[in-house]
Amino acid sequence: MKNSNSITITPDIVRQHGLTLEEFSRIEDLLGREPNFTELGIFSVMWSEHCSYKSSRYYLKKLPTTGPRVLQGPGENAGVVDIGDGVAAVFKIESHNHPSFIEPRQGAATGVGGILRDIFTMGARPIALMNSLRFGASDHSRTRFLVNGVVDGISNYGNCTGVPTVGGEIYFDPCYNGNILVNVFCLGLIPSDKIFLGNASGVGNPVIYFGSKTGRDGIHGASMASSEFDESSEEKRPTVQVGDPFAEKLLIEACLELMKEDWVVGIQDMGAAGLTCSTFEMAGRAGTGIDLELSKVPMREAGMTPYETLLSESQERMLVVVSKGMEQNALALFDKWDLDAAVVGEVTDTPMVRIFDNGNPVVNLPVELVVDGALDLKRPTKKPEYLKEVDHVNLGFISEPARGEEILKKLLSSPNIANKHWVYEQYDHMVRLNTLGLPGSDAAVLRVKGSQKALALSVDCNSRYCYLDPFHGAQIAVAECVRNIACSGGDPIGLTNCLNFGNPENPEIMWQFEQAVSGMGEACKFFDIPVVSGNVSLYNETSGEAIYPTPTVAVVGLLEDRSFHTTQWFKEDGDLIALIGLTMEEFGGSEYLKIMCDRVEGKPPHLDLRLAQSVNKLCLELIREKILASAHDCSEGGLAVALAESCMSHPRAPKGATLGIDSTVRNDAFLFGESQSRILISFSAKNRLEVEAKAKAMEVPFAVIGKVGGDSLIVNINGKEFIREEVSHLKQLWFGALETYVG
Amino acid sequence: MKCGVVVFPGSNCDHDCFHILKHVFKIDTEWIWHKGDVDLSRFDLVVLPGGYSYGDYLRAGAIAKFSSVMKEVVRFANSGRMVLGICNGFQVLVESGLLPGALIQNHTQKFVCKTVSIRVENVSTPFSCECVGKTVLDIPIAHHQGNYFIDSDGLHQLVDNQQIVFRYSGPEGEVIDQYNPNGSVDNIAGIVNEDKNVMGLMPHPERCADPAWPNLDGQLIFKSIIYSLQHGVLL
């Protein structure tokens, strides 16, 4: 191997590595010498925003991370929550935004690969994937290319590994024209007493590399993900890794087989910053050191320098520490699965990582300095100027409409609301035989084999709300996930987040971040949901244009009995339709305002956490007494869209409905406004008194508003017909719209 | 009765098939590893499950054909014993020459996962004998290369020999283009060999055979196999 340590480090080279001169001086001071070129490369990735969380760490402390079910909180590869009967759920959501914009297919595919490894590295069998995707305007020139690439990448990778993609969300907004978001969630199951951690403990234990060979792809991926885009971003394509889902599938099976052995000490995948990050982090967690010999690393190409080998982000690679003497057993197991593997190092008792190339020392760094040495920045914050301009809705733009059909049809045809089957039919959402409901429901529901239990998963964020008020926007994201889970029959037990923001060096962006994290923390405390894992993605900004703040939230819920699983569609003619919750005159941040007036303004809908909780509680109680035929959350597009969806989404036989609403607010506010904490339910008419009595006893706003039946959706407000449209016609629009934009 | 589920590197419906055979139908079921010494003599049925054997690199099923286990599966099939290939398993059977035709990219050029209807075309096979009285099954598909192709001579032979077991159809059994999800010739979803002891189909019967779901149409295929084995239809 050629060595590049003879290169003299100049201020230019430091800056090219994404480090400030101040950070470089800090390295020199703490190290007591100048780092060599390879070491500089290591600091460059390990102190990058992506790996060090230097801008966000201070604020993340506001999130609640503990609870009686929490077996592992943030800091490991993924969070772990006990679901009882000796089983635990392991989950995390992570971003792959920057690479997906540069090369959508591979960017998204390797995003799936990375999150899968985070889960099975803990010893868990991955059983579900979800994703939260944000693209630019549906008519933007790159959108179709990006959507097709991302969906194809997720489809190819997830399907091949045999992990079902069971749900997710997709939004389109011009704020993502220059920075799309690809956030991928994975959940796995594990025996609660067999959790593996990324610890390199036991002096003298061998360190084994296994999986794909190391090549020159993805060098400096982590640094790339820690800076803004500009016109030259196309040139960054070589920093995007290339995924091999077949190798990943073999890794899953090999790892799960390996972890049945009692001689596995610690294990970690090589994700961002590759071999460097896994070596330093494993030593860091155990308080040990590691000696590594690079000439032993399985290589895909000859002539790579130590610098390149250490910073490569080639995919599908793992590092495992086993008990001394068991290395041959481990190598035999990897051979069975046709995986490359080699003993590449040894655990030492010095708190140093020493890296050699054919015996010649190339790196000698203290573990703690590299892992925890980055400054905790408390970057300045400032309330953004733009909020002064958008903080109220100018009602002059919207006169109260006389009829609602055209508006409803426009909303159902909006790519944000349209049915997403064009996407989810490209994902294998059924493999492993756990998926109880199709994607497109309020929450994905998976049975837990060997028990009566089921898990409900929901991912959500309305970034327009967060743009208008990041504190309450983030709260609404949490509340909506919890409501989705309630509609499906579950209680929330844990949360993971993916915080996507612009450039943190801009005080206005940092203000959005601080507000969103505070709001999310408060909502999580109120609902008593621990945040057990997460990811921060900053610098989602191109030439100074930042995305809307997008703190994506994924909540995992538990159904003690899978028979509680409730779906959103109307079931029987004659069933009564009722609305739980309060409707107010609120237009701020709504899809209605965007579609009809192309405006994003006002305050997001008011969220009363106490009301939200009592609404969910009533819904859940009715579900558990088996009274409800359907339950559906009201969100984008308001009550009218929720009604239409409950009519249209029956997999076989769509139903009509006739509604009679008494309202004191504007017609359009009642039907298209997005007041929070509302659930649309249906139930057999014979249960009416019982349902009403329960709502009254629990002091929850409740009204029967109509009846299931017929072929049309008919809405009368204060005795006057406002909507009359055939459900089959609505369904045609709703079902076909997305493909016309992106197909 | 003993069943074996083959595990290729990249198989991913192996656990599902195993689960249905072992836990739903309570049949003695074992894994069959793809390499090393393979002995199939103790099995009555070998299942080639869905997935991406060898990553589907080159062409789905093309590399699996050369595995140690397939040499034995060919021998096993030629001795008249039952082989069921589902999805990728169907692709492997075609590549191995145990079934005629080829499976190419879906005409949409996209992966497709959804529940479709298939019409039962022939109840006189050991894989479909329990479908008497049930002409249309609802069954999930999940594939990228499920577009069945065969030339017109080959198609005539399939028809003449009554080798076509399932065709994609509408909910009422309408075999028309509208209900063809992948572009397959003549809406073909599943076929048997001339001796009718080997069946390949793209749809996944194991995905609608667990009582946790309301749709149990896939059970009819497993029940047919069990009936045939128990009554020695083939043996």
Side-chain angles (χ1 to χ4, degrees):
Chain A
M1 254 182 231
K2 182 172 87 204
N3 201 330
S4 35
N5 282 350
S6 52
I7 294 173
T8 313
I9 294 169
T10 63
D12 263 354
I13 289 182
V14 170
R15 272 192 292 268
Q16 281 162 17
H17 279 79
L19 292 167
T20 62
L21 293 179
E22 189 193 346
E23 284 172 320
F24 187 69
S25 310
R26 181 177 164 84
I27 293 170
E28 286 185 314
D29 289 350
L30 292 172
L31 198 56
R33 64 176 168 86
E34 185 179 90
N36 65 39
F37 186 71
T38 306
E39 291 170 339
L40 178 69
I42 288 174
F43 280 107
S44 140
V45 289
M46 293 300 289
W47 284 22
S48 70
E49 190 67 57
H50 189 86
C51 292
S52 75
Y53 290 69
K54 60 190 168 192
S55 301
S56 58
R57 204 152 46 175
Y58 171 82
Y59 297 100
L60 296 176
K61 288 175 190 148
K62 294 183 181 179
L63 298 172
T65 58
T66 55
R69 287 185 185 272
V70 178
L71 301 179
Q72 178 64 56
E76 271 291 338
N77 290 302
V80 186
V81 176
D82 194 359
I83 62 168
D85 301 333
V87 180
V90 181
F91 57 91
K92 187 182 184 183
I93 188 167
E94 200 162 69
S95 64
H96 231 217
N97 305 336
H98 290 74
S100 300
F101 184 74
I102 297 175
E103 209 300 290
R105 190 174 192 274
Q106 291 301 334
T110 52
V112 175
I115 194 70
L116 281 168
R117 284 193 296 284
D118 280 337
I119 302 307
F120 68 74
T121 295
M122 310 279 298
R125 159 76 67 184
I127 64 158
L129 287 162
M130 293 200 296
N131 49 67
S132 169
L133 310 177
R134 316 273 158 163
F135 297 98
S138 54
D139 56 0
H140 185 268
S141 59
R142 262 176 83 82
T143 297
R144 183 182 296 250
F145 163 73
L146 290 169
V147 173
N148 277 279
V150 166
V151 171
D152 193 39
I154 293 172
S155 157
N156 190 12
Y157 206 102
N159 297 352
C160 182
T161 52
V163 181
T165 300
V166 297
E169 52 164 14
I170 300 185
Y171 285 97
F172 297 83
D173 194 288
C175 77
Y176 303 107
N177 281 350
N179 296 81
I180 63 170
L181 300 185
V182 175
N183 294 178
V184 191
F185 167 96
C186 184
L187 178 140
L189 293 179
I190 191 173
S192 42
D193 59 349
K194 289 281 274 180
I195 300 168
F196 283 85
L197 302 178
N199 291 336
S201 42
V203 174
N205 280 340
V207 177
I208 300 175
Y209 169 117
F210 68 102
S212 296
K213 293 182 170 72
T214 296
R216 281 197 171 94
D217 55 330
I219 292 173
H220 275 303
S223 313
M224 177 268 288
S226 304
S227 62
E228 283 184 42
F229 283 156
D230 53 33
E231 297 74 20
S232 67
S233 298
E234 279 285 307
E235 295 164 16
K236 294 184 174 165
R237 201 182 300 271
T239 60
V240 178
Q241 314 85 335
V242 176
D244 177 358
F246 174 56
E248 181 95 341
K249 171 67 176 162
L250 299 182
L251 272 189
I252 295 176
E253 300 307 330
C255 281
L256 295 177
E257 196 170 311
L258 176 74
M259 289 170 182
K260 288 181 187 153
E261 307 294 345
D262 57 9
W263 38 261
V264 178
V265 174
I267 184 164
Q268 174 144 343
D269 75 300
M270 297 186 214
L275 184 56
T276 297
C277 188
S278 42
T279 306
F280 277 92
E281 285 192 357
M282 287 186 78
R285 290 200 194 96
T288 56
I290 288 180
D291 280 358
L292 208 62
E293 173 50 60
L294 294 180
S295 63
K296 300 273 188 352
V297 171
M299 304 297 283
R300 201 165 63 208
E301 48 200 302
M304 282 177 68
T305 64
Y307 180 94
E308 290 171 321
T309 309
L310 285 164
L311 299 192
S312 159
E313 290 188 12
S314 289
Q315 297 290 290
E316 294 94 21
R317 302 179 300 159
M318 309 281 292
L319 209 56
V320 62
V321 174
V322 302
S323 303
K324 194 171 173 58
M326 301 315 288
E327 44 272 56
Q328 289 315 318
N329 301 47
L331 294 177
L333 191 150
F334 298 133
D335 182 57
K336 174 188 166 189
W337 288 97
D338 302 323
L339 291 165
D340 276 300
V343 176
V344 293
E346 188 180 298
V347 178
T348 66
D349 58 358
T350 59
M352 304 289 285
V353 166
R354 297 189 303 173
I355 301 176
F356 302 88
D357 180 21
N358 284 309
N360 302 313
V362 285
V363 168
N364 185 7
L365 291 173
V367 175
E368 202 185 340
L369 173 59
V370 174
V371 175
D372 289 320
L375 282 173
D376 249 349
L377 302 174
K378 187 166 184 295
R379 295 191 187 272
T381 63
K382 177 173 166 290
K383 188 168 179 179
E385 285 298 316
Y386 73 82
L387 285 174
K388 289 180 190 154
E389 288 162 33
V390 298
D391 72 346
H392 66 286
V393 174
N394 189 339
L395 280 174
F397 284 99
I398 24 171
S399 50
E400 191 169 354
R403 303 279 310 182
E405 292 89 351
E406 290 313 309
I407 299 169
L408 177 59
K409 284 191 246 175
K410 271 196 180 159
L411 284 170
L412 293 176
S413 309
S414 150
N416 291 338
I417 290 177
N419 182 285
K420 306 297 188 293
H421 74 99
W422 181 86
V423 175
Y424 69 72
E425 284 177 0
Q426 296 186 53
Y427 304 148
D428 188 340
H429 47 265
M430 305 177 189
V431 64
R432 299 208 68 75
L433 304 187
N434 298 316
T435 317
L436 289 172
L438 283 182
S441 312
D442 287 326
V445 181
L446 298 151
R447 70 159 166 184
V448 178
K449 278 199 196 98
S451 78
Q452 269 308 106
K453 291 178 180 159
L455 292 168
L457 317 175
S458 173
V459 59
D460 192 77
C461 177
N462 183 318
S463 64
R464 274 183 211 141
Y465 296 170
C466 295
Y467 169 71
L468 298 171
D469 179 348
F471 184 91
H472 290 104
Q475 290 203 324
I476 287 174
V478 175
E480 172 153 0
C481 279
V482 174
R483 190 161 65 248
N484 283 335
I485 283 170
C487 288
S488 301
D491 285 307
I493 57 168
L495 181 147
T496 178
N497 59 29
C498 194
L499 307 170
N500 308 276
F501 289 80
N503 183 343
E505 295 158 39
N506 174 348
E508 295 193 345
I509 299 287
M510 216 48 226
W511 183 86
Q512 293 176 335
F513 186 83
E514 182 209 358
Q515 289 288 307
V517 173
S518 305
M520 184 180 293
E522 208 168 271
C524 289
K525 282 177 196 149
F526 180 85
F527 288 116
D528 201 14
I529 313 173
V531 179
V532 296
S533 57
N535 162 244
V536 178
S537 172
L538 301 174
Y539 297 95
N540 292 288
E541 190 158 333
T542 296
S543 306
E545 283 285 315
I547 60 163
Y548 287 168
T550 314
T552 308
V553 169
V555 175
V556 175
L558 180 64
L559 287 71
E560 285 295 339
D561 189 325
R562 67 171 185 251
S563 69
F564 295 146
H565 174 218
T566 303
T567 49
Q568 68 187 36
W569 54 82
F570 295 144
K571 306 287 184 306
E572 297 286 340
D573 287 354
D575 278 359
L576 296 180
I577 301 167
L579 183 64
I580 311 176
L582 268 182
T583 305
M584 288 174 277
E585 194 158 291
E586 296 176 301
F587 292 105
S590 63
E591 185 74 11
Y592 173 59
L593 206 56
K594 175 74 183 169
I595 293 287
M596 302 307 289
C597 317
D598 196 24
R599 301 186 75 81
V600 178
E601 60 186 24
K603 297 246 182 300
H606 177 67
L607 175 68
D608 176 342
L609 289 169
R610 248 175 255 285
L611 175 64
Q613 196 161 41
S614 57
V615 165
N616 295 345
K617 215 173 143 196
L618 173 61
C619 179
L620 273 172
E621 195 160 320
L622 294 172
I623 285 175
R624 285 173 191 160
E625 294 190 16
K626 310 267 164 113
I627 292 173
L628 289 195
S630 73
H632 188 21
D633 151 57
C634 295
S635 59
E636 284 84 7
L639 176 63
V641 166
L643 272 170
E645 286 175 346
S646 290
C647 287
M648 298 180 297
S649 50
H650 192 294
R652 306 247 125 193
K655 297 277 176 199
T658 302
L659 287 294
I661 292 165
D662 295 320
S663 163
T664 53
V665 302
R666 283 172 53 141
N667 290 352
D668 50 353
F670 203 103
L671 283 170
F672 308 119
E674 297 175 4
S675 284
Q676 293 298 296
S677 314
R678 295 184 300 166
I679 297 177
L680 184 71
I681 58 172
S682 71
F683 51 88
S684 165
K686 67 175 195 288
N687 294 320
R688 177 171 187 156
L689 292 177
E690 195 183 345
V691 175
E692 281 175 338
K694 269 200 197 309
K696 199 168 175 198
M698 292 171 73
E699 296 178 352
V700 182
F702 174 88
V704 171
I705 56 172
K707 199 184 256 193
V708 178
D711 299 324
S712 297
L713 174 62
I714 302 163
V715 182
N716 301 304
I717 302 188
N718 298 328
K720 198 160 169 265
E721 187 178 276
F722 187 63
I723 290 176
R724 176 186 285 269
E725 190 65 55
E726 275 182 33
V727 171
S728 61
H729 184 210
L730 294 175
K731 183 168 180 179
Q732 205 180 347
L733 291 172
W734 176 68
F735 215 64
L738 190 63
E739 191 168 354
T740 63
Y741 294 111
V742 299
Chain B
M1 190 188 312
K2 201 177 189 65
C3 299
V5 176
V6 173
V7 183
F8 295 110
S11 292
N12 66 28
C13 301
D14 47 347
H15 290 205
D16 298 351
C17 289
F18 191 90
H19 169 74
I20 296 299
L21 290 166
K22 176 119 179 171
H23 301 126
V24 175
F25 287 102
K26 316 283 182 203
I27 299 171
D28 183 8
T29 305
E30 284 180 26
W31 301 113
I32 305 171
W33 186 239
H34 67 103
K35 67 180 175 185
D37 293 330
V38 180
D39 175 9
L40 301 180
S41 58
R42 64 191 180 285
F43 296 109
D44 301 296
L45 167 74
V46 168
V47 177
L48 306 181
Y52 289 65
S53 58
Y54 303 88
D56 271 2
Y57 291 132
L58 186 59
R59 203 169 57 238
I63 303 178
K65 168 188 175 179
F66 297 105
S67 61
S68 315
V69 72
M70 279 316 294
K71 291 189 181 72
E72 292 306 311
V73 170
V74 169
R75 211 190 303 254
F76 182 83
N78 288 340
S79 74
R81 263 152 332 147
M82 289 180 83
V83 178
L84 172 66
I86 300 168
C87 197
N88 191 231
F90 186 13
Q91 294 161 340
V92 174
L93 288 174
V94 166
E95 289 288 339
S96 308
L98 285 173
L99 291 173
L103 287 151
I104 59 176
Q105 293 264 336
N106 297 347
H107 65 335
T108 56
Q109 305 300 320
K110 289 193 191 313
F111 188 96
V112 59
C113 176
K114 61 179 180 184
T115 296
V116 298
S117 298
I118 54 175
R119 190 171 77 187
V120 185
E121 302 289 358
N122 183 356
V123 292
S124 309
T125 82
F127 299 92
S128 56
C129 53
E130 290 282 313
C131 297
V132 176
K134 174 98 181 170
T135 48
V136 179
L137 312 183
D138 286 338
I139 193 163
I141 53 170
H143 57 248
H144 204 305
Q145 297 176 40
N147 180 350
Y148 183 77
F149 179 79
I150 192 162
D151 61 22
S152 55
D153 288 348
L155 180 61
H156 282 302
Q157 278 183 27
L158 286 182
V159 172
D160 291 348
N161 297 333
Q162 295 185 304
Q163 285 173 255
I164 300 168
V165 188
F166 302 110
R167 281 196 174 94
Y168 299 108
S169 74
E172 310 298 327
E174 316 92 305
V175 176
I176 50 175
D177 277 353
Q178 186 193 338
Y179 296 111
N180 188 337
N182 52 28
S184 291
V185 165
D186 215 19
N187 285 35
I188 288 173
I191 57 171
V192 285
N193 61 348
E194 276 189 64
D195 292 339
K196 301 190 172 50
N197 63 316
V198 177
M199 180 166 86
L201 76 171
M202 287 315 294
H204 288 270
E206 82 280 12
R207 293 189 182 187
C208 47
D210 186 313
W213 283 268
N215 177 12
L216 293 175
D217 286 359
Q219 285 200 349
L220 293 174
I221 292 173
F222 294 104
K223 283 180 178 167
S224 300
I225 295 170
I226 293 166
Y227 177 90
S228 306
L229 289 173
Q230 278 172 345
H231 294 78
V233 170
L234 284 164
L235 304 174

